[in-house]
Amino acid sequence: MTDLTALTIAEARDQLKARAITATELTSAYLKAIETANGALNAYIAVTPDKALDMAKASDARLAAGKAGALEGIPLGIKDLFGTEGVHTQACSHILDGFKPHYESTVTSNLWADGAVMLGKLNMDEFAMGSSNESSYYGPVKNPWRANGSNADLVPGGSSGGSAAAVAARLCAGATATDTGGSIRQPAAFTGTVGIKPTYGRCSRWGIVAFASSLDQAGPIARDVRDAAILLKSMASVDSKDTTSVDIAIPDYESIIGKPLTGLKIGIPKEYRVEGMPEEIEKLWQQGIAWLKDAGASIVDISLPHTKYALPAYYIVAPAEASSNLARYDGVRFGLRVPGKDIVDMYERTRASGFGDEVKRRIMIGTYVLSAGYYDAYYLQAQKVRTLIKKDFEDVFHAGVDAILTPATPSAAFGIADQDLASDPVKMYLNDIFTVTVNMAGLPGIAVPAGLDSRGLPLGLQLIGRPFDEETLFQTAYVIEQAAGRFNAPKWW
Amino acid sequence: MSVDISTVKRVARLARIAVSEDDATRMTGELNAILGFVEQLNEVNVDGVEPMTSVTPMAMKKRRDVVNDGGKAADIVANAPVTEENFFVVPKVVE
């Protein structure tokens, strides 16, 4: 029998519908793969085999009755940021020790309503703060990819590092993820997978542990563009419990795949050519431009003049929102409590021991920029710059550009415990230089694998679209995927 | 702008995070590195620019002012470290 974990979601869906395989067989194959690989990769921090098999059995019954949903019997991994009823939900933080919500996030509810099966919860940077998955309380995730001829462990990117690694290593058919500054797209690029951050408001944020509420957005990481389209259609919804979720019809994203690019105008922003960027990435970008041109798109040079200010503005806005969102972890209502001599001492000890260094750093920055006397100089200035960043994109779209092509990351995956990055937090932040503009402007962005570097590591390209025009991103990313081919990590684990 | 160690301790107090002398020293360096990085925002001319309040133009959705959920006290306290009869229990705050 062929390895069932090799099937894409689209392929598995067709075989399940044709009754060539059962959901129970498919789920069992994934559970076995997790059992074999997770010790080495650390992608899952909680596996739910009983729940998975129960859900698969129910899927088989619905398939037999001809009542299959869009994702019937498809086994998925869920980022630990999503609230899952009765199941480990800790944002990979010590401060949420033992937290098992009595509710289900809207995004995961949508997936289960469509018949998907939950395999378990995936590792991530603590509270989604990080670009390497090294800030997780549960330890780093290993990237299934290694450089040619090397045994050195690489990071899968972050914060959705567990999601990206699990998809790349075939430990789930697809995964949920979230993206506040690049946390879907950067790990997708580092692992040769496809990740889309939809427009702000496309997916409900209800039941997802909050990091920076004006930037957070859920999206899928998948093996290919079609699978990402299938997953996003199920994840997206308007929700009365999230007032920022929008009531705009959700298109059948899959149906746009394969449509020619004739008539599309793709913008190439000169500001994304940054100093110190490896030549290989520039080459890959040029290759992407050539592929889109060959497919009938017209290419135009554009300018997004405030690009360089997106990352500094982000490191004011996101920590400010985080310091306020994370105020709720006080040792009273959930998770960890460290006793103290009075209530304030209890708060301070609980938060000192419950939060990791990166989370503390961001809470401190956020508290400082919001504190009396500094609000105007930092926060207000950053929110004004954010208006300008968004206007850059609006001007370009107004001039007729349909989508923007950029590199996804300024480098390929780097080593676990990289000393150079550990010594300077700002260096780690630079990983998000190409992705963070998209969150600041609330736009959709997709990362798609486009090639391997000279060491054999995956590199991705990013496409940025108009608000709520995820369709054009799937359509265009598919052309890149067809031209570049698919990339699978050679199995060493 | 940069911060000194006493500012770091004051901010830690505001953020309700206990810090040791060593933590505060280390954090002073890290925070100054980040504040140095964000300094470049001052170059941007923001005359007449409105601060962003919502990334997608939208009117705040409102629901009817009625009770539509509730009766879940046991669910709400279920994850608390210390509870008593569906109340959160905290250290004594009033003498």
Side-chain angles (χ1 to χ4, degrees), chain A residues 462-476:
Chain A
Q462 172 180 239
L463 286 152
I464 303 168
R466 297 167 182 264
F468 302 103
D469 187 16
E470 285 80 6
E471 281 178 292
T472 300
L473 299 187
F474 287 122
Q475 180 188 8
T476 315

Side-chain angles (χ1 to χ4, degrees), chain A residues 196 199 225 229 232 251-267 292 297-298 397 400-405 444-446 448 462-480:
Chain A
I196 180 164
T199 313
V225 173
L232 182 60
D252 178 17
Y253 297 120
E254 200 183 350
S255 65
I256 194 92
I257 287 172
K259 293 235 168 92
L261 303 189
T262 320
L264 280 189
K265 200 187 261 188
I266 307 291
L292 297 184
S298 61
F397 291 136
V401 166
D402 295 291
I404 297 163
L405 180 74
I446 192 169
V448 59
Q462 172 180 239
L463 286 152
I464 303 168
R466 297 167 182 264
F468 302 103
D469 187 16
E470 285 80 6
E471 281 178 292
T472 300
L473 299 187
F474 287 122
Q475 180 188 8
T476 315
Y478 183 72
V479 168
I480 293 175

Side-chain angles (χ1 to χ4, degrees), chain A residues 231-252:
Chain A
L231 286 171
L232 182 60
K233 170 129 178 68
S234 277
M235 291 170 74
S237 66
V238 61
D239 180 6
S240 59
K241 289 184 283 194
D242 174 4
T243 55
T244 64
S245 75
V246 297
D247 194 3
I248 295 177
I250 302 153
D252 178 17

Side-chain angles (χ1 to χ4, degrees), chain A residues 21-179:
Chain A
I21 58 170
T22 67
T24 304
E25 285 165 356
L26 186 63
T27 298
S28 303
Y30 277 109
L31 289 171
K32 201 170 153 230
I34 295 168
E35 206 180 295
T36 314
N38 205 49
L41 299 175
N42 199 29
Y44 282 86
I45 42 99
V47 187
T48 53
D50 296 345
K51 193 177 174 81
L53 289 168
D54 283 350
M55 289 174 96
K57 212 169 137 194
S59 282
D60 281 329
R62 283 190 294 269
L63 283 155
K67 289 179 180 160
L71 286 171
E72 199 65 62
I74 301 297
L76 302 178
I78 302 299
K79 187 178 183 180
D80 199 33
L81 208 62
F82 291 80
T84 43
E85 193 174 355
V87 175
H88 184 289
T89 299
Q90 290 182 208
C92 282
S93 178
H94 184 38
I95 210 158
L96 272 166
D97 257 6
F99 186 70
K100 289 192 169 79
H102 284 222
Y103 54 82
E104 186 78 27
S105 82
T106 298
V107 164
T108 48
S109 295
N110 291 344
L111 292 169
W112 314 145
D114 276 346
V117 169
M118 176 163 79
L119 293 167
K121 300 302 283 290
L122 294 162
N123 207 338
M124 55 180 281
D125 278 300
E126 184 182 4
F127 283 107
M129 297 178 191
S131 304
S132 67
N133 213 114
E134 293 172 292
S135 74
S136 167
Y137 180 65
Y138 298 92
V141 176
K142 284 181 195 164
N143 194 328
W145 287 87
R146 285 173 164 178
N148 291 332
S150 165
N151 286 332
D153 292 325
L154 302 177
V155 303
S159 67
S160 311
S163 304
V167 171
R170 297 178 173 174
L171 306 185
C172 57
T176 65
T178 60
D179 191 316

Side-chain angles (χ1 to χ4, degrees), chain A residues 113-459:
Chain A
D114 276 346
V117 169
M118 176 163 79
L119 293 167
K121 300 302 283 290
L122 294 162
N123 207 338
M124 55 180 281
D125 278 300
E126 184 182 4
F127 283 107
M129 297 178 191
S131 304
S132 67
N133 213 114
E134 293 172 292
S135 74
S136 167
Y137 180 65
Y138 298 92
V141 176
K142 284 181 195 164
N143 194 328
W145 287 87
R146 285 173 164 178
N148 291 332
S150 165
N151 286 332
D153 292 325
L154 302 177
V155 303
S159 67
S160 311
S163 304
V167 171
R170 297 178 173 174
L171 306 185
C172 57
T176 65
T178 60
D179 191 316
T180 304
S183 283
I184 290 176
R185 292 157 288 155
Q186 184 253 18
F190 277 13
T191 56
T193 55
V194 176
I196 180 164
K197 181 204 91 73
T199 313
Y200 185 79
R202 183 72 290 181
C203 291
S204 167
R205 290 178 295 109
W206 193 83
I208 302 174
V209 178
F211 161 15
S213 304
S214 79
L215 301 157
D216 296 344
Q217 188 57 204
I221 292 181
R223 276 181 227 170
D224 64 15
V225 173
R226 182 180 300 275
D227 282 6
I230 294 170
L231 286 171
L232 182 60
K233 170 129 178 68
S234 277
M235 291 170 74
S237 66
V238 61
D239 180 6
S240 59
K241 289 184 283 194
D242 174 4
T243 55
T244 64
S245 75
V246 297
D247 194 3
I248 295 177
I250 302 153
D252 178 17
Y253 297 120
E254 200 183 350
S255 65
I256 194 92
I257 287 172
K259 293 235 168 92
L261 303 189
T262 320
L264 280 189
K265 200 187 261 188
I266 307 291
I268 310 299
K270 64 170 192 250
E271 290 81 5
Y272 282 63
R273 195 161 283 120
V274 297
E275 212 179 306
M277 186 166 87
E279 203 180 312
E280 286 177 303
I281 290 181
E282 171 69 32
K283 243 177 80 186
L284 186 86
W285 195 11
Q286 294 306 322
Q287 176 66 72
I289 293 169
W291 284 331
L292 297 184
K293 211 187 258 175
D294 288 349
S298 61
I299 306 293
V300 287
D301 288 323
I302 59 167
S303 173
L304 300 165
H306 295 90
T307 297
K308 70 176 271 212
Y309 301 110
L311 200 60
Y314 175 86
Y315 274 97
I316 291 173
V317 174
E321 293 183 14
S323 73
S324 142
N325 272 327
L326 272 58
R328 74 191 70 182
Y329 304 105
D330 55 4
V332 174
R333 287 161 290 171
F334 17 64
L336 186 75
R337 171 182 292 189
V338 179
K341 63 180 184 333
D342 54 29
I343 193 164
V344 171
D345 194 41
M346 184 277 283
Y347 293 150
E348 292 190 344
R349 285 168 188 262
T350 299
R351 290 165 65 82
S353 121
F355 291 134
D357 286 344
E358 182 59 31
V359 174
K360 283 183 199 167
R361 204 146 43 224
R362 298 203 197 185
I363 292 174
M364 293 282 289
I365 285 287
T367 306
Y368 178 71
V369 301
L370 292 177
S371 64
Y374 298 102
Y375 180 87
D376 286 5
Y378 287 110
Y379 189 71
L380 205 62
Q381 178 78 5
Q383 289 290 47
K384 287 178 180 173
V385 171
R386 196 172 171 191
T387 299
L388 293 171
I389 292 163
K390 186 169 178 242
K391 189 177 173 297
D392 284 355
F393 284 105
E394 284 168 352
D395 290 348
V396 163
F397 291 136
H398 189 71
V401 166
D402 295 291
I404 297 163
L405 180 74
T406 77
T409 55
S411 76
F414 46 86
I416 289 180
D418 185 295
Q419 284 310 309
D420 195 35
L421 288 168
S423 61
D424 180 358
V426 174
K427 265 196 186 145
M428 186 67 92
Y429 298 169
L430 291 171
N431 263 288
D432 290 336
I433 192 161
F434 298 141
T435 48
V436 77
T437 50
V438 174
N439 301 76
M440 293 302 270
L443 301 171
I446 192 169
V448 59
L452 301 178
D453 71 4
S454 59
R455 296 170 303 154
L457 297 176
L459 293 171

